[in-house]
């Protein structure tokens, strides 16, 4: 699904929501949820099942789900599919895992797409890639096999932190707490240069 399809889906959800709203939150009933199936693309239909609705059902007295939570769920699933495809392009052997050099290549190609890393000089990229890859391998390859399952990369949350750097408006606090941010990488680099200070 591309951005245009997602925007169209959001418009349909807003238009077809089921009143009454809960505060600012728009809700949708199962009946209206299933009616939307006929209005959306084939790609979107896989998200409009009874199983998905039940998964998102909370404490609404009318048995409805939040359209914001539904849309967030769909966005997350689409993001996971797109990211899995992106990572699979670096799985040279096609076995569902990345070796260290594969992950290095993925992160190196990712850097130019992360506005929060624009301040890094190209000469710093190799250090940045090395430290980022080391974090993945330290936590996801405890047996030191030299490879990590793509499924584990997607499940661990590190990639979420790394891709958060796409946000041009990321706050300074968020940058400070994100291990993959430029300030964090420069801090690690400073510790490497002066280990005894």
């Amino acid at each position: 699904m591309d951005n245009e399809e997602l925007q169209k889906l959001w418009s349909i959800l807003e238009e077809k929501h089921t009143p009454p709203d809960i505060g600012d939150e728009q809700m949708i009933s199962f009946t209206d949820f299933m009616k939307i199936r006929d209005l959306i693309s084939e790609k979107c239909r896989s998200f409009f099942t009874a199983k998905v609705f039940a998964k998102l059902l909370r404490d609404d007295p009318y048995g409805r789900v939040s359209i914001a939570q539904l849309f967030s769920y769909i966005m997350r699933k689409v993001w996971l599919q797109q990211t899995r495809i992106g990572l699979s392009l670096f799985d040279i052997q096609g076995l569902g895992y990345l070796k260290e050099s594969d992950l290095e290549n993925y992160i190196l190609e990712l850097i130019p797409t992360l506005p929060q890393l624009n301040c890094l000089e190209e000469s710093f990229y190799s250090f940045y890639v090395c430290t980022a890859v080391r974090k993945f391998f330290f936590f996801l390859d405890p047996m030191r096999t030299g490879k990590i399952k793509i499924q584990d990369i997607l499940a661990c949350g590190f990639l979420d932190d790394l891709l958060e750097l796409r946000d041009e408006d990321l706050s300074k606090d968020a940058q400070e707490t994100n291990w993959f941010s430029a300030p964090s990488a420069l801090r690690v680099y400073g510790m490497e240069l002066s280990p005894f200070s």
Side-chain angles (χ1 to χ4, degrees):
M1 289 175 56
D2 60 22
N3 280 343
E4 189 176 310
E5 286 174 300
L6 289 169
Q7 287 174 348
K8 184 177 179 186
L9 174 61
W10 179 251
S11 296
I12 292 170
L13 286 171
E14 282 191 311
E15 181 184 321
K16 301 294 182 185
H17 78 279
T18 310
D21 296 347
I22 298 178
D24 290 339
E25 191 154 17
Q26 295 177 322
M27 309 295 282
I28 191 162
S29 68
F30 183 71
T31 304
D32 290 335
F33 176 83
M34 293 310 288
K35 286 178 186 174
I36 288 176
R37 277 183 64 98
D38 299 330
L39 303 173
I40 56 178
S41 71
E42 190 67 39
K43 292 178 193 173
C44 292
R45 287 189 187 132
S46 64
F47 299 111
F48 283 78
T49 64
K51 184 177 180 179
V52 169
F53 189 88
K55 188 182 291 190
L56 298 172
L57 194 57
R58 297 290 176 258
D59 298 330
D60 181 63
Y62 303 104
R64 304 168 303 166
V65 298
S66 160
I67 66 167
Q69 287 179 350
L70 171 62
F71 191 72
S72 179
Y73 172 84
I74 293 169
M75 291 273 294
R76 175 81 177 146
K77 290 293 186 180
V78 168
W79 176 84
L80 282 171
Q81 289 170 347
Q82 290 172 342
T83 305
R84 183 180 195 104
I85 291 167
L87 286 168
S88 295
L89 294 174
F90 292 86
D91 176 11
I92 305 301
Q93 297 176 338
L95 299 174
Y97 62 81
L98 297 181
K99 295 183 294 182
E100 192 168 333
S101 60
D102 301 334
L103 190 55
E104 285 173 353
N105 290 332
Y106 174 76
I107 293 174
L108 188 60
E109 284 195 24
L110 195 61
I111 290 173
T113 70
L114 305 173
Q116 291 298 329
L117 298 180
N118 285 346
C119 63
L120 297 179
E121 294 182 25
E122 254 186 78
S123 60
F124 189 73
Y125 285 7
S126 60
F127 178 82
Y128 181 87
V129 169
C130 179
T131 55
V133 168
R134 293 293 0 126
K135 178 165 180 150
F136 279 92
F137 272 84
F138 180 80
F139 288 103
L140 301 178
D141 184 24
M143 303 303 289
R144 307 295 176 245
T145 61
K147 58 187 178 186
I148 305 173
K149 289 182 185 176
I150 290 173
Q151 190 173 350
D152 292 344
I153 293 170
L154 292 169
C156 77
F158 294 159
L159 208 50
D160 293 342
D161 293 342
L162 183 59
L163 295 176
E164 182 180 52
L165 301 176
R166 284 185 172 158
D167 183 359
E168 292 181 16
D169 301 321
L170 193 63
S171 73
K172 199 154 187 80
D173 289 341
Q175 287 183 51
E176 289 296 325
T177 58
N178 186 323
W179 196 90
F180 295 102
S181 70
S184 183
L186 292 168
R187 192 170 42 251
V188 170
Y189 185 67
M191 289 188 299
E192 287 288 321
L193 290 179
S194 55
F196 302 108
S197 20

